[in-house]
Amino acid sequence: MLHTPSGGARSGTAATDRGLMSIGAVLNRLREEFPEVTISKIRFLESEGLIEPQRTPSGYRKFSAGDVERLAHVLRMQRDHYLPLKVIREHLDAMERGEAVALPVVGRQRTGEDVPEPPGRATVARIGRAELLAAADIAEGDLAEWESYGLITPLEDGVYDAEAVTVASLVSELGRFGIEPRHLRLMKAAADREAGLVDQVVAPLRRHRNPQTRAHAEARAKELAALTMRLHASLVQTALGVRLP
């Protein structure tokens, strides 16, 4: 059974560290399955009421194994079903009440089914415009503005890579801090350069005639992408002179 958040009621008491983890330890545990997860993402999910870790008297978050399980469940539903957080929260609440509920589907799920793929390239899950708006819980005007800045780009047939849901959610989250889409163009340009560097490394493998070698190219691309993301996060922390807990 999924964990029911209960940390808020004890936030003013001295929480024991026995069996509890810091947010950094939680991040390390989750990154094996979710290499893109960040501390900001965990904090955001907390602010949205998806989890409620305990707090020490000094204000540090302490997560139980149940909290980590719930976090992983939320991240899987976002990754595999492209659901907005409101729908995920309602689904978890229903499960904790013991109700048998079917999980709503937005777009095409990543089921691992045997789908033909273009040579050397993994099949990309796609969603339509209306599905993207619903999954990210954004307005049509927001999406149009973000497209004008190149933050989100439709594919040739007018649909979107399902990762656009994550991009839209993060752009929206940053907007809560006064960071406007025009401010994010430099980040998009940097991401494009990093992607170009990774592609340059794996391109010879992707062009190989051996299917196993091409499959290895995709695994190598994911590994390099995860490393560049971690390096980017560390460089930003160093530049700001901060250390995330």
Side-chain angles (χ1 to χ4, degrees), residues 49-172:
L50 273 303
I51 55 168
E52 191 176 348
Q54 297 182 32
R55 294 276 187 157
T56 66
S58 55
Y60 286 97
R61 297 168 177 84
K62 290 295 181 179
F63 296 79
S64 68
D67 291 324
V68 178
E69 177 188 353
R70 184 180 174 95
L71 268 172
H73 200 77
V74 171
L75 293 171
R76 288 189 195 102
M77 285 194 283
Q78 284 191 304
R79 180 193 65 193
D80 299 338
H81 302 278
Y82 320 119
L83 297 175
L85 294 181
K86 179 181 178 181
V87 175
I88 293 176
R89 188 186 306 108
E90 292 172 350
H91 178 77
L92 292 178
D93 290 345
M95 289 183 65
E96 289 170 351
R97 291 193 299 267
E99 300 175 9
V101 291
L103 188 66
V105 177
V106 178
R108 198 190 121 225
Q109 299 182 33
R110 298 178 189 175
T111 59
E113 59 192 14
D114 186 14
V115 180
E117 301 180 357
R121 225 20 120 150
T123 298
V124 176
R126 300 180 176 188
I127 61 173
R129 191 177 187 87
E131 293 171 327
L132 172 58
L133 293 172
D137 196 19
I138 58 174
E140 172 68 37
D142 294 327
L143 180 56
E145 180 184 12
W146 301 346
E147 288 178 328
S148 71
Y149 286 109
L151 300 174
I152 297 178
T153 305
L155 303 175
E156 293 180 358
D157 50 1
V159 297
Y160 297 82
D161 178 339
E163 192 63 28
V165 175
T166 301
V167 174
S169 298
L170 291 173
V171 172
S172 179

Side-chain angles (χ1 to χ4, degrees), residues 34-54:
F34 309 100
E36 74 284 356
V37 72
T38 63
I39 286 180
S40 295
K41 174 73 170 181
I42 296 174
R43 288 172 172 164
F44 174 66
L45 293 177
E46 178 188 356
S47 71
E48 293 295 312
L50 273 303
I51 55 168
E52 191 176 348
Q54 297 182 32

Side-chain angles (χ1 to χ4, degrees), residues 16-27 29 53-54 60-69:
T16 176
D17 286 348
R18 182 177 300 175
L20 300 179
M21 291 171 277
S22 68
I23 194 169
V26 172
L27 182 67
R29 178 168 295 192
Q54 297 182 32
Y60 286 97
R61 297 168 177 84
K62 290 295 181 179
F63 296 79
S64 68
D67 291 324
V68 178
E69 177 188 353

